[in-house]
């Protein structure tokens, strides 16, 4: 037996002590990671295998202590089974989240799919009280359904102010085009959702609304002063924090006025100084997905995770490689780049958030973190609850705009010309979707423009449509256009104003339907002849399609008999004269 410096005998070293300490430290680090998986149960059903872990790796990482999972895809019924499975694999408290900015049905079939938040931002300018009530109901619906299916963390609301109509990725996802509406409505959503026992996440701090670059593809630069941030970008986050939002998600963008070297996600001046100190936020700070090119294109999987934690993030979302990230964080602890007490504080904030989730809610449910197992079995077993169906319909009807002639005339056939971002990952356009099925019943032949087939343009993307190749007869033009990750544009950069003029000059435009971007709608309605029937909905899901097409007179008799009659759509006499407001498959 050896002696210590005082000469007293020392006990023999325990060979398992260092191993146990290393294992404990590794689990601590792993608890700060959130990895991605499919909502489907089997590996063969994964839609995005580049980002979604196979079950063997997922089970291994959860057993090793990884603290959270973000899910995408599958049905509501599958999600309920999947979340139970993940909890069993983890054997401990687990954050389970999803990007359900437009209701749980946006990502998981069978739940409520609601209109994008910007619809309420526009209503807020007309009827503030109604918009705030609807925003809180929106949150209630989202939180109730998320909790019933085993999710405990909703990655919303978007607190970005969409004051840049050219924004390629925020667009209709924002709650407003000015700080007042964006902040008030986002806070109302937080109150509603968190009252149902889930955690919310305000994103993308300190504001991604005034960018023309998609951070999934490159690093945007926001060249604004601190004074400008205080006036426009920060107020919605202040209101969400005042509403006790549980988490804040970072933005992958550069703010030279705050940090000339690192993007916000990796910046201590942004996360520690601005968010923690100046805004007083004490909850969870989570990065946006580190696999996005704004970060992944400049930093490796390990270095990005280390820099994010050093900057003040608590949780690392979707590192390119979880094992690499864990190893890099451990190495940074060993060489002093990261402080152990900082990571312990992050782990404590994570535990506090989960404990808060388990403390109950105001919905009459038990509030236990049980993956929905003790929730009423009837919820979502036959689709959304009646009150949530009514909310979805009311939101669509209140936001629908209609102008022009009486109805679409399709005598003798013609074309149903549809533009979508891509045929893959297009859940709103199944074979039975009204945008496809209803014009077909009216005798129109569908031509789908998805960027994959031969070009529809006579002279590349800048020329008019090749009408001779597309076919004869009247044309119903349906444009599904909005801000979407990885698209790089909120309008497709296609010459739709020229198409409108071309079809009108040929006396072939039977009607126009725009789903999504209000900015495209407003730019096209100024060009329409007064007798051309046209309508816009911010939503793209089948419910929005049905209500819009019914307003244009394309509702089949069977649908009318089933009670899907034309709505009392708002007549949009103002949009032809009013310019856009402002100086709208992946986490983001």
């Amino acid at each position: 037996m050896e002696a210590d410096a005082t000469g007293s005998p020392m006990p023999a070293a325990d060979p398992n002590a260092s191993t146990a300490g290393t294992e404990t430290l590794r689990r601590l680090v792993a608890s700060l990671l959130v990895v991605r998986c499919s909502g489907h149960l089997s590996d063969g059903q994964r839609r995005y295998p580049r980002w979604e872990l196979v079950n063997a790796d997922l089970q291994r990482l959860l057993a090793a202590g990884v603290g959270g999972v973000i899910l995408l895809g599958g049905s509501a019924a599958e999600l309920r089974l999947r979340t139970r499975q993940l909890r069993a694999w983890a054997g401990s408290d687990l954050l389970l989240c999803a990007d359900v900015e437009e209701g749980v049905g946006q990502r998981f079939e069978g739940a409520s799919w609601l209109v994008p938040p910007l619809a309420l931002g526009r209503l807020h300018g007309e009827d503030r009280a109604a918009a705030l009530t609807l925003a809180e109901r929106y949150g209630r619906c989202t939180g109730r359904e998320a909790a019933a299916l085993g999710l405990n963390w909703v990655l919303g609301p978007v607190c970005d102010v969409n004051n840049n109509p050219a924004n390629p990725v925020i667009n209709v996802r924002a709650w407003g085009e000015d700080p007042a509406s964006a902040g008030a409505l986002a806070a109302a959503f937080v109150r509603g959702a968190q009252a149902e026992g889930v955690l919310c996440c305000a994103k993308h701090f300190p504001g991604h609304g005034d960018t023309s670059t998609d951070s999934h593809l490159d690093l945007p630069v926001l060249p604004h002063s601190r004074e400008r941030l205080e006036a426009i970008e920060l107020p919605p986050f202040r209101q969400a924090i005042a509403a006790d939002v549980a988490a804040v998600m970072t933005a992958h963008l550069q703010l030279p006025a705050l940090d000339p070297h690192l993007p916000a996600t990796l910046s201590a001046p942004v996360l520690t100084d601005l968010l923690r100190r100046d805004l007083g936020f004490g909850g969870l700070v989570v990065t946006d997905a580190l696999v996005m090119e704004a970060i992944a294109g400049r930093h490796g999987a390990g270095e990005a995770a280390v820099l994010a934690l050093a900057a003040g993030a608590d949780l690392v979302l979707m590192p390119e490689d979880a094992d690499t990230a864990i190893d890099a964080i451990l190495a940074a602890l060993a060489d002093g780049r990261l402080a152990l007490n900082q990571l312990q504080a992050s782990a404590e904030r994570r535990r506090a958030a989960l404990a808060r989730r388990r403390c109950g809610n105001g919905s009459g449910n038990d509030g236990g973190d049980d993956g929905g197992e003790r929730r009423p079995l009837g919820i979502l077993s036959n689709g959304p609850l009646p009150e949530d169906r009514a909310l979805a319909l009311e939101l669509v009807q209140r936001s629908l705009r209609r102008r022009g002639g009486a109805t679409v005339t399709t005598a003798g056939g013609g074309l149903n010309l549809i533009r979508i971002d891509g045929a893959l990952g297009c859940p709103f356009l199944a074979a039975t979707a009204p945008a496809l099925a209803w014009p077909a019943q009216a005798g129109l032949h569908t031509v789908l423009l998805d960027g994959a087939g031969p070009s529809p343009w006579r002279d590349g993307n800048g020329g008019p449509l090749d009408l001779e190749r597309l076919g004869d007869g009247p044309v119903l033009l349906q444009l599904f256009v909005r801000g979407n990750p990885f698209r790089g544009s909120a309008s497709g950069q296609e010459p739709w104003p020229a198409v409108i003029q071309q079809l009108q000059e040929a006396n072939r435009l039977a009607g126009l339907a725009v789903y999504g971007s209000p900015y495209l709608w407003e730019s096209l309605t100024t060009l329409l002849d007064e007798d051309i029937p046209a309508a816009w909905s911010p939503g793209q899901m089948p419910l929005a399609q049905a209500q819009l097409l019914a307003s244009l007179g394309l509702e089949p008799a069977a649908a009318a008999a089933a009670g899907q009659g034309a709505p009392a759509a708002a007549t949009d006499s103002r949009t032809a004269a009013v310019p856009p407001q402002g100086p709208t498959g992946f986490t983001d």
Side-chain angles (χ1 to χ4, degrees):
M1 181 177 292
E2 298 180 1
D4 66 11
T6 65
S8 301
M10 293 177 60
D14 181 354
N16 296 319
S18 61
T19 301
T22 299
E23 176 63 21
T24 298
L25 187 58
R26 192 173 187 88
R27 289 190 70 85
L28 167 68
V29 169
S31 73
L32 306 182
L33 269 59
V34 180
V35 298
R36 165 84 172 264
C37 84
S38 171
H40 293 289
L41 292 170
S42 72
D43 289 340
Q45 293 175 291
R46 291 178 302 151
R47 297 180 184 176
Y48 305 97
R50 176 182 171 188
W51 299 303
E52 294 170 348
L53 294 171
V54 297
N55 281 333
D57 286 339
L58 183 61
Q59 189 169 3
R60 173 181 60 81
L61 286 167
L62 291 177
V66 162
V69 180
I70 177 172
L71 298 102
L72 176 65
S75 68
E78 278 184 293
L79 179 63
R80 190 166 182 173
L81 294 174
R82 183 64 151 166
T83 54
R84 292 179 185 177
Q85 179 187 61
L86 296 174
R87 281 188 168 87
W89 286 350
S92 59
D93 288 342
L94 191 61
L95 286 166
L96 291 168
C97 61
D99 260 319
V100 287
E101 298 167 359
E102 298 169 25
V104 177
Q106 179 191 14
R107 305 298 189 191
F108 305 99
E109 186 178 0
S112 297
W113 192 349
L114 308 176
V115 297
L118 193 61
L120 289 177
R122 295 210 152 194
L123 177 62
H124 188 263
E126 304 167 6
D127 189 338
R128 181 177 180 275
L132 290 172
T133 298
L134 287 168
E136 187 161 345
R137 289 173 60 196
Y138 198 123
R140 283 273 187 180
C141 171
T142 303
R144 176 168 52 248
E145 293 187 349
L149 300 178
L151 299 174
N152 53 21
W153 192 15
V154 169
L155 297 184
V158 169
C159 286
D160 307 313
V161 179
N162 198 75
N163 61 344
N164 185 344
N167 194 313
V169 67
I170 301 301
N171 201 256
V172 294
R173 299 166 58 201
W175 285 90
E177 296 157 298
D178 61 84
S181 60
L185 294 168
F189 174 90
V190 169
R191 289 191 294 271
Q194 292 191 165
E196 293 292 339
V198 298
L199 308 172
C200 283
C201 181
K203 60 187 187 183
H204 310 83
F205 186 83
H208 206 316
D210 191 13
T211 63
S212 56
T213 300
D214 180 0
S215 52
H216 296 84
L217 303 174
D218 204 351
L219 180 65
V221 176
L222 200 63
H224 298 317
S225 67
R226 173 64 184 267
E227 291 71 26
R228 152 61 194 250
L229 294 175
E230 288 287 356
I232 303 296
E233 278 76 19
L234 296 181
F237 289 97
R238 290 187 182 277
Q239 288 191 255
I241 292 169
D244 199 26
V245 71
V248 170
M249 179 182 286
T250 70
H252 298 334
L253 49 81
Q254 190 98 38
L255 294 113
L258 300 182
D259 189 332
H261 306 295
L262 291 171
T265 292
L266 312 179
S267 171
V270 175
L271 301 188
T272 298
D273 298 345
L274 178 58
L275 180 56
R276 290 284 191 212
R277 185 191 66 199
D278 297 349
L279 271 64
F281 180 63
L284 280 171
V285 176
V286 58
T287 71
D288 204 343
L290 294 189
V291 295
M292 293 163 61
E293 282 301 308
I295 300 297
R298 291 164 173 78
H299 306 277
E303 183 66 6
V306 169
L307 288 172
L309 293 174
D314 297 310
L315 300 176
V316 172
L317 178 64
M318 287 179 63
E320 278 195 284
D321 183 276
D323 293 302
T324 298
I326 292 170
D327 289 341
I329 295 166
L330 288 169
L333 282 168
D335 64 22
R337 292 181 65 199
L338 287 173
L340 178 59
N341 62 354
Q342 181 180 344
L343 300 194
Q344 289 171 331
S346 292
E348 180 55 38
R349 279 189 282 268
R350 177 185 171 277
R351 284 192 292 270
L354 282 164
R356 167 181 172 173
R357 158 68 179 86
R358 290 192 300 271
C359 284
N361 54 61
S363 65
N365 295 319
D366 55 60
D369 196 15
D370 60 6
E373 291 185 43
R374 294 197 297 273
R375 300 295 175 103
L377 289 176
I379 186 169
L380 289 172
S381 62
N382 191 32
L385 296 174
E387 58 263 38
D388 294 329
R389 292 178 188 269
L391 172 65
L393 180 60
E394 181 178 357
L395 289 169
V396 168
Q397 292 184 340
R398 275 184 173 264
S399 57
L400 183 64
R401 295 292 179 263
R402 169 75 159 82
R403 56 140 290 161
T407 59
V408 172
T409 302
T410 61
L415 296 178
N416 175 29
L417 188 60
I418 299 179
R419 187 271 197 196
I420 56 175
D421 283 328
L424 298 177
C426 190
F428 54 80
L429 211 61
T432 56
L436 291 173
W438 290 14
Q441 292 184 49
L444 299 181
H445 169 66
T446 295
V447 175
L448 200 63
L449 307 181
D450 63 1
S455 173
W457 312 107
R458 186 177 300 163
D459 302 309
N461 279 354
L465 286 172
D466 188 347
L467 292 177
E468 292 182 3
R469 185 174 64 81
L470 290 175
D472 299 324
V475 176
L476 170 64
L477 183 60
Q478 297 195 74
L479 304 178
F480 288 83
V481 174
R482 53 169 286 170
N484 275 315
F486 295 105
R487 303 303 181 198
S489 169
S491 63
Q493 300 300 310
E494 295 160 336
W496 295 113
V499 170
I500 294 292
Q501 294 174 330
Q502 176 191 11
L503 292 174
Q504 288 185 147
E505 289 172 1
N507 198 28
R508 292 189 58 182
L509 184 60
L512 171 67
V514 177
Y515 306 92
S517 172
Y519 311 116
L520 179 64
W521 163 252
E522 289 162 348
S523 70
L524 296 182
T525 52
T526 61
L527 305 174
L528 287 174
D529 293 342
E530 291 185 359
D531 61 339
I532 300 295
W536 166 71
S537 174
Q540 296 184 331
M541 61 285 202
L543 177 62
Q545 298 168 31
Q547 293 293 304
L548 187 153
L549 293 176
S551 78
L552 296 180
L554 283 168
E555 180 185 34
Q564 299 178 19
T571 300
D572 198 12
S573 59
R574 57 185 178 84
T575 53
V578 178
Q581 293 184 26
T584 134
F586 195 80
T587 186
D588 43 6

